[in-house]
Amino acid sequence: MSVRWDPAQYGKFAPERMRPVEDIIKRIPLDAPSTIYDLGCGDGRVARQLMKRWPDAVLTGVDSSPDMLDAARNLLPHGNWVAADLATWSSDTPADLLFAGASLHWIDDHQTLFPRLMGLLAPGGILAVQMPRNFGEACHTCMREAAEAGPWKAKLAAVDRRLSPVAEPADYYAILAPHAAHLDIWEIDYLHALEGDDPVVEWTMGTGLRPYLGALDETAREAYLADYTARIAKAYPRRDDGVTLFPFRRLFIVARR
């Protein structure tokens, strides 16, 4: 059983998810790119921000989720939307900008992936990437702890790819430096003030928790989710003012070919 990407679930925290997109767009040194690819375009919100910055560019959104692509088409009916796996996607047209917002951490072997993407850029083109780098935090460790704690242990054993799918910043410098004329790499620690019931669980249900839930039948899924929710409530207690604080580190890369 698989859990499809749910645009509504993912969009529950749109302002918080869009903040790093806005932060990196400001740091992209391009005046008038002609060809932009939004890799892992999701529901189209990122593409909309890219088009606000560069309204004359031809933008193509690429994603593997039919549900996300449908949401993108509804948001931007005149956009170019392509269904493809980013691990193997390529383009015959060199890109002025390859933009990947919170998508490349789903793909393994960054030592091969990032140089390949650099090779798809036009001379002077930019690869702009932001990825979460909080996989050692409780929002993720509680997933693994709950997976180990129940009768679903064997079924979930293969779900977690590794402790962290995103390497240290210096590792990306080493990967990209031979292929880039200029590199800008940085991190930001956000502190999201979330409201509502179990907001951290609601957040992860739209992203990292999906593979765990997708591997279980309905009964086991509910039991696993209850276990995870209890662990998260201890790790991220709600404040007296009703707010749950959710620290979140992200890695940013802007590489010019």
Side-chain angles (χ1 to χ4, degrees):
M1 180 179 293
S2 63
V3 174
R4 299 167 67 121
W5 278 99
D6 183 347
Q9 184 71 37
Y10 187 82
K12 286 184 177 181
F13 301 96
E16 291 83 3
R17 296 192 193 279
M18 289 303 298
R19 172 73 182 279
V21 171
E22 295 165 355
D23 288 344
I24 192 172
I25 286 177
K26 296 173 185 176
R27 300 275 291 268
I28 297 174
L30 289 174
D31 294 326
S34 298
T35 305
I36 299 175
Y37 291 92
D38 180 5
L39 306 182
C41 63
D43 60 9
R45 295 175 197 261
V46 173
R48 182 170 60 184
Q49 291 300 111
L50 293 169
M51 293 308 299
K52 285 182 180 179
R53 168 79 188 270
W54 297 288
D56 296 327
V58 175
L59 186 145
T60 300
V62 183
D63 206 286
S64 61
S65 166
D67 296 313
M68 285 295 201
L69 288 170
D70 285 344
R73 291 187 187 98
N74 289 332
L75 185 66
L76 298 171
H78 301 298
N80 303 313
W81 309 108
V82 174
D85 183 348
L86 294 183
T88 56
W89 171 85
S90 185
S91 172
D92 295 331
T93 303
D96 296 312
L97 174 61
L98 293 177
F99 188 93
S103 59
L104 298 188
H105 63 289
W106 291 102
I107 304 173
D108 291 328
D109 192 11
H110 286 185
Q111 289 187 338
T112 300
L113 174 66
F114 277 70
R116 183 177 72 79
L117 292 177
M118 290 295 291
L120 298 177
L121 293 171
I126 296 286
L127 172 65
V129 178
Q130 70 92 358
M131 296 181 289
R133 209 170 80 81
N134 65 336
F135 298 94
E137 298 299 326
C139 55
H140 285 277
T141 60
C142 287
M143 295 179 195
R144 296 188 286 271
E145 291 169 0
E148 291 281 331
W152 45 73
K153 178 178 179 179
K155 188 167 288 188
L156 295 181
V159 168
D160 196 41
R161 288 149 54 211
R162 57 188 183 277
L163 180 61
S164 177
V166 178
E168 296 286 335
D171 294 325
Y172 290 99
Y173 187 92
I175 291 170
L176 287 165
H179 309 276
H182 184 266
L183 266 174
D184 189 10
I185 300 176
W186 71 97
E187 291 186 317
I188 296 178
D189 289 326
Y190 296 92
L191 183 62
H192 299 306
L194 306 182
E195 298 181 348
D197 297 331
D198 303 313
V200 175
V201 176
E202 291 292 327
W203 181 296
T204 57
M205 283 180 66
T207 52
L209 202 59
R210 291 177 52 258
Y212 292 88
L213 300 180
L216 302 173
D217 60 34
E218 184 175 356
T219 300
R221 183 184 303 170
E222 291 180 358
Y224 170 83
L225 187 58
D227 187 325
Y228 175 72
T229 300
R231 295 171 188 271
I232 288 294
K234 293 180 180 179
Y236 302 97
R238 185 186 296 187
R239 290 165 42 91
D240 291 342
D241 60 4
V243 168
T244 300
L245 296 179
F246 184 33
F248 202 117
R249 174 172 294 183
R250 292 186 184 268
L251 173 69
F252 298 82
I253 301 169
V254 175
R256 181 189 290 275
R257 182 175 179 184

